Structures are given as structure tokens and as C-alpha cells.
Amino acid sequence: MNRQTELLKNIDWLSIFLYTLLVFMGWLNIYAAVYDDNHSSIFDITQNYGKQLMWIGTASVLGFFIMLTDSKFFTAFSFVIYVLTMCLLAAVLVFGTESHGAKSWFELGGIRIQPSEFSKFATCLAVANVMSRHGFKIMQFSNLALVGLLLIIPAALIMLQPDAGSALVYSSFILVMYREGLHGSLLLLCFIAIAIFIFTLLYPPVTVVSMIIAGSLIAFLYYRQNKQELYRVVLFIIGCFSFLLFLRWLLGMTVGIERLLLYSYLLTCLVGIYFIYKRKMRHIMLILLTSWMCLGATVGVNYAFDKLPTHQKDRINNLLGIETDLTGAGYNVNQSKIAIGSGGLTGKGFLQGTQTKFNFVPEQSTDFIFCTVGEEWGFVGSTVVIVLLMIFILRIVYLAERQRSDFSRIYGYGVASILFFHVAINIGMTIGMTPVIGIPLPFFSYGGSSLWAFTILIFIFLRFDANRLQVFS
């Protein structure tokens, strides 16, 4: 009895309240998104809102049992859970049901289960297990490689389905690693990689390569230690470039200008290596390595982009403004923005959304559920939803910081990172700021797998927090 009383006392009831409120608001919007006068009963299980009500009930039971489970169970069996989930991800590729071009679901008696949703909390547990080990340092290559492997395995299996959106969720763990000591320069590299991806699609290779070289020169100037050596590097770049241009003119070579820039920069790097070796200029090594990665990315981006499915390439092209197709790849986003914009300041009112009611917005109860929020509740309602979601995420961050156990803290940051990624990308794609990659809005999008997975993800952490005075090994 004392143990149960202590558990009830230590549960973070504010988080429970926010979770319940968000789930209820999500269910109301699912009801509004698919409302039909012929199916007005909220308990009609032939409609999405009736099914979602059943999922909510089972999720509540699931959360209750998680809170009754000993916290040590999740730490002791974290890798077992991870391996079992990876087996499910592999099995769905063989035995799964295909829908919308992806084999991502198991279908059992009319019920669909999506393993990729559950792999998120399993990966979160495994990462917390590894990173909480005694003496773990994220900047050691072996440790960084191990964490990377734990993330790459589920992401790769999900990409084989293929489901690029769910695979990209694992990139959010970069925030967890940063909190646990990942150097800021590596985080900067991630943003540089994103910028190069966008620039390579928007501009010719010669422009991108020139930008990389210019950025490298600026970095050389900023981190200069020996002005004389720096001037030699700059003069060498100019000399190599001029010499190659002269050869091209003299011999009538057909080598493109971007290749000339690339060759000149590679020659420059050779001289840079000499300076590093002689003068121990580590900053130059970092600049050169970063530059090499950037140059390699300019080649790899186009190759990888060409390998994407046609509908994903079209969505990215529409997002970046390379193409405009309001009746094809850009139709979903265009209708989404119309629906949200039509809501105005205070919205049209509950069940009064015409864009969603007459099915102008595709996937309006799943990926584009935020359109219903924007149309029926307007700017004010959309702001309230976003604020509540952010408060909930920040609450989890606060709870994570007060943990005595490294395992609990790391897991908590994993929960917050996954939720933030889902919220930012889902809302971003409904307003045309991010590509349409098909990931649910937590607690709002219709789907049993996502609701169950988010419930498990969150309630495991709340169970850890209820035992925050303990330290898990």
C-alpha cells in the first residue's frame, strides 16, 4: 500500500492532464474531419472517429498497465525490446500488407498494426541504455558509431518499405546526442548538409561549388594562425584555378567549369595537408575535411534525388518552387493552405469546415488533420493547439532534467525530440514549409498504431519520472 501511495504521489499529473487534453482535442478534430449527417453517432465504429475512440480506450488501459510495471523492466529488457522490434520491421517487408506503395502494416482480423511506430520507443530505450553506461563519452568515435548504428538499423529497414517520413524521425536523436555532449561543430555539419541539399537542387553545380570554396576561404581567414602561410594557400588556389582555365582555353578542353573548380580545390587540399603536417594547423584539417564532405555531397545529392520515388521528387520540387503543379504533386498542400487560410482569425466553427467536410483536403483525418484545426478554429485555435503541444514537450524536457538517472534523462530527451520532430514536420507540411513525408501529428492524427506508440513512449518516461529518486544502471 505504501508503494502504491508513493507512486500516486510522484506521478506527474500535469503531464497526464496535458496528454488527456490533447488526445481529446485530437478526437474532436477527427470527428469534425469525417463528420457525416448519416453517421452522427460518436460511437459509430464504422467511422474513423468511432474507431479512434476504441483506440483511445485501449491506449488508456495500456498507459495504466505501464504505470503499474516496475521501471527496472524497461531498463533490463531495453535491448530485448529493440531486437524484437527490429525483427518486426524485417518481417513486415515479407509478410506485411501493401498500401499506398509501402509495405508497412501487419493486418490481423481487419486491424492494422504499423511496426515502424513502435520502433521509435524501442530505439529510444536502446539509445538510453548505451549512452547511460558508465564512462560513456559521445565524442569517442566508437561510442558515436554505436549510437549511429542503433539509429541506422531501424531507419534503413523502414526505408526498404519504403517510408521516408518515418525513417527521417531518427534524425531527431541528434538533439539527444547534443544534450549529452556532442560537439556543436558536428551539429553545424548537419545544418550545412541540409543547406547543401537545398542549394544543389536549386542552383547549378558551379554555383554550389563556388559557394563551398568561398566558405572555406572565409573559414581560413577567420581561423588564421600564420598570415604568411594563409596567403600562400590563397595564392595557390588562385594559381591552380587560373592555370586550369588557361589549359582549357589553350587545348580546347570540354571540361565543365564546375569540374575545374573541383580539380583546383582538390589540388589546394593537397597543399593544405602539407601545411597541416608541417605546422600542426588542426583548424585547417577541420576546414578541409568539412569542405571535402560538402563537395562530395554536391555529387551525392543529385544521385540520391534521382533514386527517390517520383511522387517524393515532385513534392520536394513543389516545396522549393522548382516546379508548380497545383493539380498534381502540389494539390494536397495547396488545398491544405486554402483550408487553413479560410478559417481566418477565429475559424468557421465546430463541424462547419467546408473544405474538410466536402473532402477537398486529402488524408484530412490523418496526415493533414491540422487543416481541420485551422479551418474550424482559425488562427486562435491553431495557436492554442501549437502552444499546448509545445508546453507538453517542454514539460517533458523539464522532467528529463530533474532525473537522477542518466538512463531516464536520456530517454526523456528522446521522447521530447521525437515529439518535436513530428509536430514541426507535420504542421510544417500542412502550411507548405516542409515536404509532405506522411508522418502523423501526435494525439491528433487518426490511427491506432501511432496513438499506442506515442502512449507507450510517453508513459514509460512518466513511469521513470515516478521513480526519479532511483538510479538505474
Side-chain angles (χ1 to χ4, degrees), residues 207-259:
T207 304
V208 180
V209 175
S210 300
M211 291 171 62
I212 293 171
I213 293 176
S216 301
L217 287 174
I218 293 172
F220 276 129
L221 290 169
Y222 183 78
Y223 289 106
R224 63 185 183 274
Q225 289 183 349
N226 188 314
K227 292 185 178 181
Q228 185 176 2
E229 300 288 3
L230 174 65
Y231 294 149
R232 290 178 184 177
V233 173
V234 174
L235 289 173
F236 185 79
I237 292 175
I238 297 173
C240 288
F241 184 52
S242 301
F243 178 70
L244 288 172
L245 283 177
F246 174 74
L247 282 180
R248 184 175 184 270
W249 172 79
L250 183 65
L251 303 176
M253 295 170 62
T254 58
V255 179
I257 188 67
E258 64 274 5
R259 289 189 179 182

Side-chain angles (χ1 to χ4, degrees), residues 97-395:
T97 300
E98 185 171 339
S99 178
H100 299 289
K103 190 177 284 190
S104 305
W105 292 267
F106 288 117
E107 189 164 353
L108 305 170
I111 298 176
R112 283 186 170 186
I113 301 296
Q114 190 174 4
S116 60
E117 293 294 335
F118 299 96
S119 65
K120 297 167 189 175
F121 85 85
T123 304
C124 203
L125 285 171
V127 168
N129 187 312
V130 169
M131 295 181 66
S132 62
R133 291 176 180 175
H134 179 71
F136 180 92
K137 295 185 182 300
I138 191 64
M139 289 305 294
Q140 289 183 1
F141 179 77
S142 58
N143 292 333
L144 190 60
L146 180 57
V147 174
L149 182 63
L150 291 174
L151 301 176
I152 289 172
I153 291 174
L157 289 171
I158 293 170
M159 280 298 296
L160 292 175
Q161 294 178 3
D163 184 1
S166 295
L168 285 173
V169 172
Y170 295 92
S171 64
S172 65
F173 280 87
I174 191 74
L175 300 175
V176 182
M177 291 187 281
Y178 180 70
R179 167 60 182 84
E180 296 303 315
L182 186 69
H183 199 279
S185 60
L186 295 180
L187 193 63
L188 178 62
L189 283 178
C190 295
F191 290 110
I192 291 175
I194 295 172
I196 288 176
F197 176 81
I198 295 173
F199 288 147
T200 303
L201 296 178
L202 288 175
Y203 304 108
V206 59
T207 304
V208 180
V209 175
S210 300
M211 291 171 62
I212 293 171
I213 293 176
S216 301
L217 287 174
I218 293 172
F220 276 129
L221 290 169
Y222 183 78
Y223 289 106
R224 63 185 183 274
Q225 289 183 349
N226 188 314
K227 292 185 178 181
Q228 185 176 2
E229 300 288 3
L230 174 65
Y231 294 149
R232 290 178 184 177
V233 173
V234 174
L235 289 173
F236 185 79
I237 292 175
I238 297 173
C240 288
F241 184 52
S242 301
F243 178 70
L244 288 172
L245 283 177
F246 174 74
L247 282 180
R248 184 175 184 270
W249 172 79
L250 183 65
L251 303 176
M253 295 170 62
T254 58
V255 179
I257 188 67
E258 64 274 5
R259 289 189 179 182
L260 291 175
L261 287 168
L262 181 60
Y263 294 155
S264 63
Y265 194 69
L266 289 176
L267 287 174
T268 305
C269 289
L270 293 176
V271 174
I273 292 173
Y274 170 78
F275 287 139
I276 293 166
Y277 176 76
K278 298 294 287 186
R279 304 292 182 179
K280 298 181 180 180
M281 300 166 71
R282 294 182 180 179
H283 60 285
I284 294 184
M285 173 64 83
L286 179 62
I287 294 169
L288 292 178
L289 288 175
T290 304
S291 302
W292 288 342
M293 291 173 62
C294 293
L295 290 169
T298 60
V299 178
V301 163
N302 287 320
Y303 176 79
F305 186 74
D306 290 338
K307 296 296 182 181
L308 288 175
T310 303
H311 69 280
Q312 291 184 358
K313 289 193 289 187
D314 292 340
R315 288 171 178 174
I316 294 174
N317 285 332
N318 273 273
L319 175 69
L320 298 178
I322 299 173
E323 298 175 1
T324 303
D325 183 9
L326 300 182
T327 60
Y331 176 80
N332 290 15
V333 175
N334 184 55
Q335 293 299 320
S336 172
K337 291 192 288 187
I338 290 174
I340 294 173
S342 67
L345 180 63
T346 58
K348 298 176 180 177
F350 186 56
L351 302 181
Q352 302 302 313
T354 55
Q355 293 296 117
T356 53
K357 187 175 182 179
F358 295 109
N359 297 320
F360 285 107
V361 181
E363 309 294 340
Q364 60 191 21
S365 64
T366 53
D367 298 342
F368 285 87
I369 187 65
F370 191 73
C371 299
T372 305
V373 179
E375 184 179 18
E376 296 195 351
W377 303 107
F379 176 78
V380 174
S382 299
T383 302
V384 169
V385 168
I386 294 173
V387 168
L388 284 174
L389 286 166
M390 289 299 102
I391 289 175
F392 187 47
I393 293 172
L394 290 174
R395 180 65 182 176

